[in-house]
Amino acid sequence: MTPDHEGPMAGRTVLVTGGTGGIGKATAAGLAILGARVAITGRDRGRAEAAADEIRTATGAQVDVFVADLSSQAEVRRMAAEVLADGARIDVLVNNVGGYWNTRHVTADGLERTFAVNHLAPFLLTQLLLERLGESGTARVVTVSSNAHTTGRLDFEDLQGERSYSGERAYSQSKLANVLFTYELARRLQGTSITTNALHPGVVRTAFGAEDPSGVQRVLVPVLRPFLKSPARGAATSIHLASAPGLAQVSGKYFVNGKPRASSARSYDEAAARRLWEISEELVAG
């Protein structure tokens, strides 16, 4: 299969975080088929290069690789600098990277890992690349959230889970943060050429959470695996938000199965969104 040089993404460049497997790799491949030049990020260079080679072979598209552990803010900053130094335009940023950890882990920055990877990494990377995105004429920020956000609550007194930690609670909080971030970013970008939307990819058959799974995951995932979405199906909404011509002016929405849906009541709390933004700015300062 070769890229569609007359497709909706012809001449456009997309950066997909966490593009070495699962939904991220499927998203990158799908956009490459539509004509995009694609860049993927990953923690391990060997795995990232292998994924890039696979996408190149399958699509014939140009695929670039950037290596970074996005749990580290220094790594996010270094990678963003490399992306900018590459000189290429950025038309779409797909904030896909994310994870689930059943037990509490602390990053090099002294932050709880779920909050750092799932929320602060896309928050910081988006800020660092925003000017370049704005130079593209029309650009899009697509953030992969989850319907788990509907059970999420922001505990501003314990965002890092220091007093009490639950993997499920930390994950749902981070996914709510993704939606709040998307809506607040949309408000701040009003009047610009950049749109931003969030999505639920569905429950997908990937290695998600395998690094530190809960007991329930260990039992249920093998049983449910045959019934879960394939990565390609899970990537469909990300690809749609990144490429559909009809969404060029759509911003500040939450999508499920390619359609805009109402998100949780908490996700529309503008005061909470502003407070989260301010706290996030403090946590990534420097």
Side-chain angles (χ1 to χ4, degrees):
M1 186 175 293
T2 58
D4 184 351
H5 297 296
E6 296 182 357
M9 297 303 289
R12 299 177 73 76
T13 299
V14 182
L15 176 64
V16 181
T17 65
T20 60
I23 296 171
K25 185 168 74 171
T27 298
L31 291 168
I33 291 170
L34 294 178
R37 172 184 175 182
V38 174
I40 62 173
T41 80
R43 288 183 295 171
D44 179 81
R45 180 168 294 280
R47 189 177 175 204
E49 292 289 359
D53 284 341
E54 186 177 331
I55 297 169
R56 292 184 194 109
T57 300
T59 68
Q62 178 175 346
V63 184
D64 301 312
V65 169
F66 296 96
V67 179
D69 179 352
L70 299 186
S71 72
S72 163
Q73 291 178 20
E75 288 279 283
V76 174
R77 292 180 185 280
R78 177 190 57 75
M79 188 190 77
E82 290 178 2
V83 170
L84 294 173
D86 178 68
R89 59 190 287 159
I90 305 174
D91 298 284
V92 183
L93 169 62
V94 181
N95 288 313
N96 168 79
V97 75
Y100 176 101
W101 292 272
N102 188 53
T103 54
R104 189 175 187 272
H105 298 257
V106 177
T107 70
D109 301 303
L111 301 169
E112 189 277 311
R113 189 178 184 87
T114 310
F115 190 73
V117 173
N118 293 4
H119 168 61
L120 289 178
F123 177 87
L124 176 58
L125 183 62
T126 302
Q127 306 306 313
L128 295 171
L129 300 181
L130 207 55
E131 183 176 347
R132 180 65 57 84
L133 283 159
E135 293 171 358
S136 294
T138 57
R140 306 183 189 191
V141 178
V142 177
T143 299
V144 179
S145 180
S146 165
N147 271 358
H149 87 274
T150 60
T151 61
R153 294 174 179 267
L154 287 182
D155 184 352
F156 285 111
E157 304 308 314
D158 192 27
L159 284 175
Q160 306 298 322
E162 294 175 289
R163 298 178 185 172
S164 173
Y165 182 84
S166 153
E168 181 180 347
R169 189 167 62 245
Y171 181 73
S172 62
Q173 174 184 254
S174 72
K175 296 292 100 178
L176 174 58
N178 289 156
V179 183
L180 286 164
F181 163 63
T182 294
Y183 292 169
E184 181 64 17
L185 181 63
R187 286 187 285 269
R188 292 171 183 250
L189 291 176
Q190 283 182 353
T192 76
S193 61
I194 307 171
T195 63
T196 178
N197 294 290
L199 68 108
H200 169 56
V203 183
V204 182
R205 189 168 61 246
T206 69
F208 181 80
E211 185 178 317
D212 181 16
S214 67
V216 173
Q217 286 174 309
R218 292 179 192 275
V219 173
L220 289 183
V221 170
V223 175
L224 296 176
R225 185 172 294 277
F227 306 99
L228 304 181
K229 279 186 177 182
S230 67
R233 286 184 60 207
T237 299
S238 295
I239 294 169
H240 178 66
L241 290 180
S243 65
L247 297 180
Q249 304 300 321
V250 176
S251 191
K253 303 295 183 182
Y254 176 74
F255 282 74
V256 181
N257 292 326
K259 304 292 184 182
R261 297 278 182 85
S263 51
S264 71
R266 293 188 189 94
S267 70
Y268 295 106
D269 186 336
E270 294 188 20
R274 287 192 298 271
R275 186 176 180 188
L276 175 64
W277 187 285
E278 292 166 359
I279 290 172
S280 300
E281 283 187 323
E282 292 174 3
L283 290 173
V284 302

